[in-house]
Amino acid sequence: MEKIKLGHGAGGDLMKNLVEEIVSSIDLKKTEKGFGLDRLEDAGIVDLGDKKIALTTDSYTVDPLFFPGGDIGTLAVCGTVNDLAVMGAEPLALTLAYIIEEGFPLNDLKRVTDSVNHSSKAVGVPIITGDSKVIEHGKMDKLIVNTAGIGIVKQLVTNHGANPGDKILVSGSVGDHGLALLAKRFDFDTDMASDCAPIWEIVKRALEIGGISAMKDPTRGGLANCLNELAEKSSRAFFVKEKQVPLKEKARSIGEILGIDPLQTASEGRVVMCVKPERADDILETLKKFDEDASVIGHVEKEPKGKVILETVVGGRRFLEPAIGELYPRIC
Amino acid sequence: MEKIKLGHGAGGDLMKNLVEEIVSSIDLKKTEKGFGLDRLEDAGIVDLGDKKIALTTDSYTVDPLFFPGGDIGTLAVCGTVNDLAVMGAEPLALTLAYIIEEGFPLNDLKRVTDSVNHSSKAVGVPIITGDSKVIEHGKMDKLIVNTAGIGIVKQLVTNHGANPGDKILVSGSVGDHGLALLAKRFDFDTDMASDCAPIWEIVKRALEIGGISAMKDPTRGGLANCLNELAEKSSRAFFVKEKQVPLKEKARSIGEILGIDPLQTASEGRVVMCVKPERADDILETLKKFDEDASVIGHVEKEPKGKVILETVVGGRRFLEPAIGELYPRIC
């Protein structure tokens, strides 16, 4: 009998198969005029006629729960806010659900809630409803947080809209979140911190400039997964120059020591945008006001459809593949 | 150092304290014109001007995962649909998040997804977005499901609105869900089945008649918790006649054998309504079309505020108290 593997949750090909299997058995995947699981975007869209509402959810599990740059509470709020943001939706309200292992220290729960509160205030999005469950000791690992969120669509952007000629931009260095967690777990002497942060403010400014044809945040599976999803869903080819991809020197070192590719490692406060060429300079300028590491990393072409081609630092070319299953110690 | 206890998740007083503690540290609890954690209703409300959107979430953990009358998938869809329904909101769209233990049989996951699909179609509410996480074997118990949902408010009903003179109605027998699960777990020879079902259709019909001043579904902590919450939030006294409370004979037997009070045991397909006396007959008639066990179980008075007074079968009177912490083997 087939069983669920860890890799089914890691953001790679195995997970894609599992998600497709689950989704295929759901008959009602969308509202009459919106879209939903039929499209597998970062959020579903409900069309209310005069307004479009985005709805999204994520469960968060992270080891360690507290890490340089944030904790599971920061992650849960930012993750859901960011899934709304990449659809072009202004976050309106969040839910917060705690699943807690019996014996979990109350003070740690308070610390997590303080972080939830801090991030909620940073974005100005309220937590309007919630839930808590307590699971018997030994049948749960510490704390899982689920958040869901709704947003008002300001300008609908999807994973599907990249066009030939578009420039590909990233709003800051990649892999910081995943590598900071691994460094902390392996007790490295480094000041590497997670990039975990809400991206709505950045996205809002970029939307005001216009010309964004597709957008996604490089979380599970990192930049590699993000670009592959955008390329595949848009049926376009993504050409990326490795030397243009912003990467912190310390992130590179940690990756090298652990044998982990930072391009396949999660960021939690970055956004990848495909932008009409005539708007790329303006948007880059805006992104740089938030983070000077923001960069144009490549461009979109017609062929080969659904592929990401990486021009490596030494000048070679290879397909940048998405992660397959479990590549390294789980961090999210 | 204080630690989380199992009772913190059981729906009783301990849980109330935990929720209050979490909620007190959140600064943004509601949108400008709606309400949210400041009111602790079954859903938060976002006011979009011409429309009100209800947003709610719940995580589901149940042992056994499959039980007579449904499974964790049925429960997750019905629970969230029902939390919207008791606010007077028509369910619009749901999220679905699976947290799966490594090694969980893929076929069981498919079975759960089939139930999700079945309940989603029964209500006509689509699953428009989702998430899945896989947790290392031994660090999770099988499967947790989280759902969130949004609904359009047709006629806002809250936990706070009960008025003196209101009749108290319940839409069917109480405690069936919890007692069916316990019977299954202890391997009783009984055909006791969970009442797990969506209540939106029933609520919709009752809303059309009008006169509902407060409404809630008697889930965690059963009828006792439900009535106490309504009484407390409405600052009214609830007088209930035990002999009017619909209770299946087999539920009574299972409760007696296990020493469990069915009034403190969860239903998952029932609704408790406080109704203006002049509409009570019409609404009861409508409820009876769905379930002939529907009954007027009592009425609302001014004093003693926040209390539920039970007139027992033998004619005595006692306060019907909410559950305190963990009263019996966990079922949800």
Side-chain angles (χ1 to χ4, degrees):
Chain A
M1 187 169 49
E2 211 182 334
K3 298 194 173 210
I4 296 288
K5 299 182 184 72
L6 264 186
H8 278 120
D13 256 6
L14 259 179
M15 182 170 128
K16 206 175 132 199
N17 297 342
L18 176 68
V19 169
E20 278 167 7
E21 183 128 2
I22 294 170
V23 166
S24 72
S25 60
I26 303 282
D27 286 319
L28 302 183
K29 296 185 173 74
K30 61 182 206 71
T31 57
E32 204 184 333
K33 290 186 291 178
F35 61 80
L37 284 181
D38 56 321
R39 293 267 297 262
L40 289 180
E41 297 278 348
D42 293 286
I45 300 290
V46 174
D47 193 332
L48 297 178
D50 55 335
K51 292 179 187 73
K52 286 189 181 71
I53 300 285
L55 172 67
T56 190
T57 190
D58 252 319
S59 305
Y60 297 86
T61 155
V62 61
D63 177 19
L65 289 176
F66 302 91
F67 49 80
D71 61 39
I72 191 170
T74 327
L75 203 56
V77 171
C78 296
T80 289
V81 161
N82 294 353
D83 278 346
L84 295 171
V86 295
M87 304 296 294
E90 178 171 11
L92 265 183
L94 302 182
T95 73
L96 174 69
Y98 285 150
I99 306 161
I100 316 163
E101 186 185 19
E102 179 192 14
F104 189 75
L106 200 58
N107 275 341
D108 283 358
L109 194 67
K110 285 182 192 165
R111 224 176 123 190
V112 171
T113 307
D114 284 343
S115 298
V116 164
N117 187 39
H118 184 264
S119 298
S120 143
K121 286 196 287 182
V123 191
V125 59
I127 315 287
I128 68 165
T129 187
D131 177 54
S132 62
K133 291 286 182 305
V134 181
I135 308 281
E136 216 175 305
H137 179 69
K139 290 187 168 178
M140 245 285 292
D141 192 25
K142 299 173 194 153
L143 178 68
I144 293 174
V145 182
N146 177 287
T147 44
I150 57 172
I152 284 272
V153 176
K154 293 294 175 180
Q155 190 185 314
L156 187 64
V157 183
T158 70
N159 294 176
H160 293 70
N163 291 311
D166 281 352
K167 300 288 185 189
I168 306 165
L169 281 73
V170 63
S171 66
S173 56
V174 303
D176 294 14
H177 174 72
L179 291 163
L181 259 71
L182 289 170
K184 162 97 180 166
R185 204 191 286 175
F186 290 103
D187 214 14
F188 283 21
D189 182 20
T190 172
D191 60 352
M192 185 80 211
S194 167
D195 56 291
C196 190
I199 57 170
W200 168 242
E201 206 52 40
I202 304 174
V203 168
K204 189 172 89 173
R205 299 289 180 84
L207 287 173
E208 284 162 8
I209 296 170
I212 303 174
S213 52
M215 186 156 54
K216 193 170 177 65
D217 50 339
T219 55
R220 269 194 285 190
L223 185 70
N225 257 51
C226 175
L227 293 173
N228 273 281
E229 260 201 75
L230 288 167
E232 193 179 313
K233 288 185 176 164
S234 301
S235 280
R236 306 297 185 194
F238 277 41
F239 287 80
V240 173
K241 289 193 158 87
E242 190 170 17
K243 69 174 177 195
Q244 296 292 109
V245 176
L247 183 61
K248 288 200 165 77
E249 194 43 50
K250 51 195 167 190
R252 191 190 309 274
S253 310
I254 296 167
E256 271 172 14
I257 294 168
L258 295 174
I260 284 166
D261 184 354
L263 301 192
Q264 293 192 325
T265 308
S267 302
E268 290 290 346
R270 307 296 183 219
V271 57
V272 172
M273 296 174 176
C274 300
V275 175
K276 287 201 176 95
E278 62 271 25
R279 298 292 169 88
D281 287 346
D282 284 352
I283 289 189
L284 181 63
E285 196 184 321
T286 295
L287 296 186
K288 278 182 174 293
K289 283 179 193 157
F290 290 88
D291 187 334
E292 60 182 19
D293 284 343
S295 170
V296 175
I297 61 170
H299 70 282
V300 179
E301 292 190 18
K302 266 192 179 165
E303 302 281 351
K305 283 190 173 53
K307 291 290 179 187
V308 180
I309 296 95
L310 187 74
E311 188 179 300
T312 62
V313 177
V314 292
R317 276 193 168 190
R318 64 172 174 96
F319 288 126
L320 179 64
E321 301 282 1
I324 303 163
E326 201 61 34
L327 283 185
Y328 51 77
R330 282 298 293 280
I331 45 125
C332 63
Chain B
M1 190 168 49
E2 211 182 336
K3 299 194 172 208
I4 297 288
K5 300 181 185 72
L6 265 185
H8 278 120
D13 257 5
L14 259 180
M15 183 170 128
K16 207 174 132 200
N17 297 344
L18 176 67
V19 169
E20 279 168 6
E21 181 127 1
I22 293 171
V23 166
S24 71
S25 59
I26 303 282
D27 286 319
L28 302 183
K29 297 184 172 74
K30 63 183 207 68
T31 57
E32 204 184 332
K33 288 187 292 178
F35 60 80
L37 285 182
D38 55 321
R39 293 266 297 262
L40 289 180
E41 296 279 346
D42 293 287
I45 300 289
V46 174
D47 193 333
L48 297 178
D50 55 335
K51 293 179 187 73
K52 284 188 181 70
I53 300 285
L55 172 67
T56 190
T57 191
D58 252 319
S59 305
Y60 298 85
T61 156
V62 60
D63 176 20
L65 288 176
F66 302 92
F67 48 81
D71 61 38
I72 191 170
T74 328
L75 202 56
V77 171
C78 296
T80 289
V81 161
N82 294 353
D83 278 345
L84 295 171
V86 294
M87 305 296 295
E90 178 171 12
L92 265 184
L94 302 182
T95 73
L96 174 67
Y98 285 151
I99 305 161
I100 315 163
E101 186 185 19
E102 179 192 16
F104 189 75
L106 200 56
N107 275 341
D108 283 358
L109 194 67
K110 285 181 190 165
R111 224 176 124 192
V112 170
T113 307
D114 283 343
S115 298
V116 164
N117 187 38
H118 184 265
S119 298
S120 143
K121 285 196 288 183
V123 190
V125 60
I127 315 286
I128 68 166
T129 187
D131 178 54
S132 62
K133 291 287 182 305
V134 182
I135 308 280
E136 215 174 307
H137 178 70
K139 292 188 166 178
M140 246 284 294
D141 192 25
K142 298 173 193 153
L143 178 67
I144 294 174
V145 182
N146 177 287
T147 43
I150 57 172
I152 285 271
V153 176
K154 294 293 176 182
Q155 190 185 314
L156 187 63
V157 183
T158 70
N159 293 177
H160 293 70
N163 291 311
D166 281 353
K167 300 286 186 191
I168 305 165
L169 281 73
V170 63
S171 67
S173 58
V174 302
D176 294 15
H177 173 73
L179 292 162
L181 258 72
L182 289 170
K184 163 96 179 165
R185 204 191 287 176
F186 290 103
D187 214 15
F188 282 22
D189 183 19
T190 173
D191 60 352
M192 184 81 211
S194 167
D195 56 291
C196 190
I199 57 170
W200 168 241
E201 204 53 39
I202 305 173
V203 167
K204 189 172 87 174
R205 299 290 179 84
L207 287 174
E208 283 162 10
I209 297 169
I212 303 174
S213 51
M215 185 156 54
K216 192 171 177 64
D217 51 337
T219 56
R220 269 193 286 190
L223 185 70
N225 258 50
C226 175
L227 293 173
N228 272 282
E229 259 200 77
L230 288 167
E232 193 180 314
K233 289 185 177 165
S234 301
S235 280
R236 306 296 185 196
F238 278 41
F239 288 80
V240 173
K241 289 191 156 88
E242 190 170 17
K243 69 173 179 198
Q244 297 292 109
V245 176
L247 184 61
K248 289 200 165 77
E249 193 43 49
K250 51 195 168 191
R252 191 190 309 274
S253 311
I254 296 167
E256 270 172 14
I257 294 169
L258 295 174
I260 284 167
D261 184 354
L263 302 191
Q264 293 192 325
T265 308
S267 302
E268 291 290 345
R270 308 296 183 219
V271 56
V272 172
M273 295 174 178
C274 300
V275 175
K276 287 201 174 94
E278 62 271 25
R279 299 291 171 87
D281 286 347
D282 285 352
I283 289 189
L284 180 64
E285 196 184 321
T286 296
L287 296 186
K288 277 182 174 293
K289 283 179 192 156
F290 291 88
D291 188 334
E292 59 182 19
D293 285 342
S295 171
V296 175
I297 61 170
H299 70 281
V300 179
E301 292 190 18
K302 267 194 179 165
E303 304 280 350
K305 282 191 173 53
K307 290 290 178 187
V308 181
I309 296 95
L310 188 74
E311 188 179 302
T312 63
V313 177
V314 292
R317 276 192 167 190
R318 64 171 174 96
F319 288 125
L320 178 64
E321 300 282 1
I324 303 163
E326 202 61 31
L327 283 184
Y328 51 76
R330 283 298 294 281
I331 46 127
C332 64

